[in-house]
Amino acid sequence: MFIREAGGFFKVTGRYPIYNIKYFIDYASKFILERRGHLYIDIKDHNLYDRLGLGWCGHSADVRMFAASLSFYNEFIGNRYVELNDYKGLLLEGLMYDIVKSLIHRSDVICRFKKEPHFGGLEGSNVAALSFSKNQDSLKGKLKRFLGNIIRLFFPRFWF
């Protein structure tokens, strides 16, 4: 009932602590509830891995944390869950990426966070990608987050 009354929701992973979550909740709340935005999510969209011949995916949505208006969810996401199948590699990350790519130029969709989320704990994914350490709070994890924040600040159109 609360989600219906609020008109939107903030989806957060239960797997990792998010140490800077307040920043994202505050931003998403203003965007979705006050400015009538519809989707606040972070995507990766680059061809660097392809150019380097690494075979890693440079095109996906990070669904560990996002916010959506209820109307957006009902129109674009809710009825598409039947398409997902982990065994066939049809994951929510890909579905959300496809949805965002089709709507990327709308002013009511934000598809890139201005700063890196600070996830804690150990990464549980076995998907091949550029990852320095499974421990997200290790020195290497901190360097990865620092580099991500630098890229977001100085190269905002490079969605790495």
Side-chain angles (χ1 to χ4, degrees):
M1 189 63 150
F2 176 73
I3 292 174
R4 256 192 304 251
E5 290 172 6
F9 65 92
F10 192 82
K11 184 264 187 201
V12 181
T13 182
R15 177 182 255 175
Y16 308 112
I18 306 170
Y19 297 118
N20 57 351
I21 194 169
K22 184 179 180 333
Y23 167 84
F24 296 98
I25 290 175
D26 289 348
Y27 197 100
S29 295
K30 287 177 187 162
F31 179 67
I32 301 288
L33 302 177
E34 292 175 20
R35 293 180 30 215
R36 301 288 183 224
H38 286 294
L39 181 65
Y40 177 63
I41 193 167
D42 201 40
I43 68 167
K44 180 185 343 180
D45 192 23
H46 63 81
N47 291 321
L48 180 62
Y49 300 152
D50 298 332
R51 290 181 183 162
L52 295 174
L54 298 173
W56 300 340
C57 181
H59 311 280
S60 67
D62 188 344
V63 296
R64 294 176 292 180
M65 174 173 63
F66 69 88
S69 69
L70 192 55
S71 62
F72 184 91
Y73 178 86
N74 288 332
E75 182 177 348
F76 292 100
I77 303 169
N79 60 346
R80 296 194 59 195
Y81 271 94
V82 296
E83 299 173 27
L84 304 178
N85 185 329
D86 288 0
Y87 298 110
K88 294 181 180 178
L90 302 171
L91 307 174
L92 182 59
E93 291 84 348
L95 172 66
M96 292 300 291
Y97 175 80
D98 291 344
I99 291 169
V100 169
K101 283 297 283 188
S102 71
L103 306 170
I104 204 163
H105 296 295
R106 287 177 44 165
S107 63
D108 59 353
V109 173
I110 292 177
C111 54
R112 188 67 172 159
F113 295 159
K114 291 187 182 283
K115 68 189 304 184
E116 287 278 326
H118 180 179
F119 295 103
L122 300 177
E123 285 186 15
S125 174
N126 289 325
V127 175
L130 182 59
S131 182
F132 298 107
S133 172
K134 288 284 190 185
N135 181 352
Q136 297 183 91
D137 284 321
S138 69
L139 177 60
K140 291 177 181 179
K142 290 175 185 175
L143 288 172
K144 181 180 174 185
R145 233 179 355 270
F146 176 75
L147 178 61
N149 280 319
I150 294 295
I151 290 170
R152 287 169 193 264
L153 182 63
F154 292 106
F155 306 100
R157 299 212 186 271
F158 180 52
W159 294 359
F160 183 71

